[in-house]
Amino acid sequence: MVTALGPYGSNVFSLISTWQREESQSQDTHSVVLQRMQPEKKESSERDCHLDTCRIPEVPRLVYPKAQLLKPTRVDVLVMTPWFAPIIWDGTFDSAILDAQFRNITVGLTVFAIKKYVVFLKLFLETAEKHFMVGHKVNYYVFTDQPANVPQIPLQEGRQVVVLEVRNYKRWQDISMHRMEMISNFSQQRFLREVHYLVCLDVDMKFSDHVGVEILAPLFGTLHPGFYRGDRQSFTYERRPLSQAYIPRDEGDFYYAGGFFGGSVPEVYRLTMACHQVMMADQANGIEAVWHDESHLNRYLLYHKPSKVLSPEYLWDEHMLQRPPLLRKLRYVAVPKNHAEIRNR
């Protein structure tokens, strides 16, 4: 899976301060904003935290089944990490309660469609409208080098596509790694003002079931579908001590996927800025982590424990992996593709 972004001042992205195009229409029309902005420097702080992510919201009167303390809903899987972060599986949450708690939030979804990856956008956005944060306000932030090829699809009320034009890179590895700098800079420039949470996803996927506010937390990561059963010795962490992504063989909680992570905007800013900085340090030392930005993400989440962990329900490949009985739902799944053809053109 690949993600992408463009040059910012020192070789990451350039933007022009003007609204190029804005189409905000009704529920059965397409809402698109194409923007180029001048880079601005704005320090984030705890004051940037939206109230909904800083305090416990009041929940209106609801009728729902009582939780049974001695009858857990899941006994076949781990539902809590050793640091008391919930692991989100089907049957461990009540969407009605959570929707009430998060009823006044706006969620930003970042997705990168560079080069041939733009072909995945239509299915991605169409399935997101069916399954992603239904009933909540959403800004789809689409980073692309082909803004004219961003498809127009009907959107629910309170949702819009914001197209951010960026450059491409020759190597898919560079495209993937530069997204951390892009997200961190845009978090400073606009995301802090526009949304409460960020969900950062790969585009070569589709939504196939409910993905809602149960995922939201100050910081969350997703269990990689290829390693959720494994022990830390099997994880493909960066094992070379020279790299800033290095994790010793006797350390590690889980192996997290680079294609699904997020949290509150201040926390995502901290994560992406830290990952960008250590990737630049690696580059200066002539080393590239084995799995690029995913390697650095795993190092960050090892030492900055996520407050929620998403089960492999939230990232699965039906064509590469056999679905086990413990996965009652597949919520976000890979689209069949020729990796070599897509990545290298």
Side-chain angles (χ1 to χ4, degrees), residues 50-305:
H50 291 276
L51 288 179
D52 286 349
T53 63
C54 295
R55 69 184 184 192
I56 303 298
E58 180 181 356
V59 176
R61 184 168 180 257
L62 297 171
V63 177
Y64 52 85
K66 177 188 176 300
Q68 299 297 316
L69 188 62
L70 301 182
K71 296 180 180 179
T73 56
R74 296 297 295 261
V75 296
D76 55 337
V77 291
L78 184 69
V79 298
M80 187 73 69
T81 70
W83 58 92
F84 288 111
I87 303 175
I88 310 303
W89 303 86
D90 182 59
T92 62
F93 59 90
D94 187 315
S95 293
I97 300 173
L98 293 170
D99 282 335
Q101 285 184 304
F102 288 92
R103 64 189 181 279
N104 295 321
I105 56 99
T106 300
V107 178
L109 186 159
T110 68
V111 66
F112 300 85
I114 303 298
K115 295 184 176 180
K116 284 193 173 182
Y117 277 80
V118 73
V119 303
F120 297 108
L121 267 177
K122 186 174 188 293
L123 181 61
F124 177 91
L125 292 170
E126 286 177 343
T127 58
E129 279 298 285
K130 293 179 181 178
H131 300 295
F132 181 75
M133 302 291 167
V134 175
H136 297 277
K137 296 178 181 178
V138 173
N139 287 358
Y140 297 107
Y141 295 114
V142 177
F143 298 94
T144 183
D145 59 337
Q146 302 167 65
N149 292 330
V150 174
Q152 297 191 9
I153 64 166
L155 297 175
Q156 302 172 43
E157 183 178 359
R159 298 156 81 100
Q160 65 173 336
V161 173
V162 181
V163 179
L164 302 170
E165 185 175 2
V166 297
R167 60 162 285 187
N168 63 47
Y169 288 83
K170 184 176 181 180
R171 297 193 320 144
W172 70 266
Q173 294 93 335
D174 293 326
I175 293 173
S176 181
M177 288 191 292
H178 275 294
R179 70 173 177 171
M180 291 296 189
E181 186 174 8
M182 177 68 83
I183 294 171
S184 67
N185 279 292
F186 269 95
S187 292
Q188 284 187 306
Q189 290 182 19
R190 61 179 299 168
F191 297 160
L192 279 165
R193 300 190 302 272
E194 295 181 356
V195 296
H196 300 87
Y197 292 91
L198 284 175
V199 179
C200 306
L201 302 180
D202 281 346
V203 70
D204 52 348
M205 307 283 290
K206 66 178 181 179
F207 293 88
S208 55
D209 210 316
H210 168 92
V211 175
V213 295
E214 75 279 357
I215 73 173
L216 299 180
L219 183 64
F220 67 83
T222 303
L223 300 180
H224 193 292
F227 297 100
Y228 72 98
R229 289 181 180 271
D231 57 28
R232 58 172 59 130
Q233 299 299 320
S234 69
F235 296 163
T236 54
Y237 291 150
E238 174 56 63
R239 300 301 190 183
R240 294 169 293 175
L242 181 61
S243 173
Q244 296 293 316
Y246 169 66
I247 297 176
R249 292 191 178 275
D250 59 351
E251 294 186 40
D253 301 312
F254 305 106
Y255 190 89
Y256 299 100
F260 200 137
F261 65 92
S264 68
V265 181
E267 287 298 335
V268 173
Y269 167 74
R270 294 181 186 103
L271 181 157
T272 53
M273 176 58 75
C275 287
H276 167 64
Q277 290 174 341
V278 292
M279 282 190 284
M280 292 301 98
D282 269 7
Q283 186 179 68
N285 289 325
I287 190 169
E288 189 173 278
V290 59
W291 289 110
H292 317 105
D293 56 328
E294 185 173 84
S295 296
H296 292 281
L297 174 70
N298 271 275
R299 164 88 182 197
Y300 186 91
L301 294 179
L302 174 59
Y303 299 117
H304 304 79
K305 306 293 191 192

Side-chain angles (χ1 to χ4, degrees), residues 12-32:
V12 184
F13 66 89
S14 66
L15 302 166
I16 304 171
S17 179
T18 178
W19 290 103
Q20 290 276 322
R21 179 181 53 170
E22 183 169 341
E23 302 174 20
S24 294
Q25 301 177 357
S26 64
Q27 181 172 349
D28 56 358
T29 58
H30 184 60
S31 178
V32 174

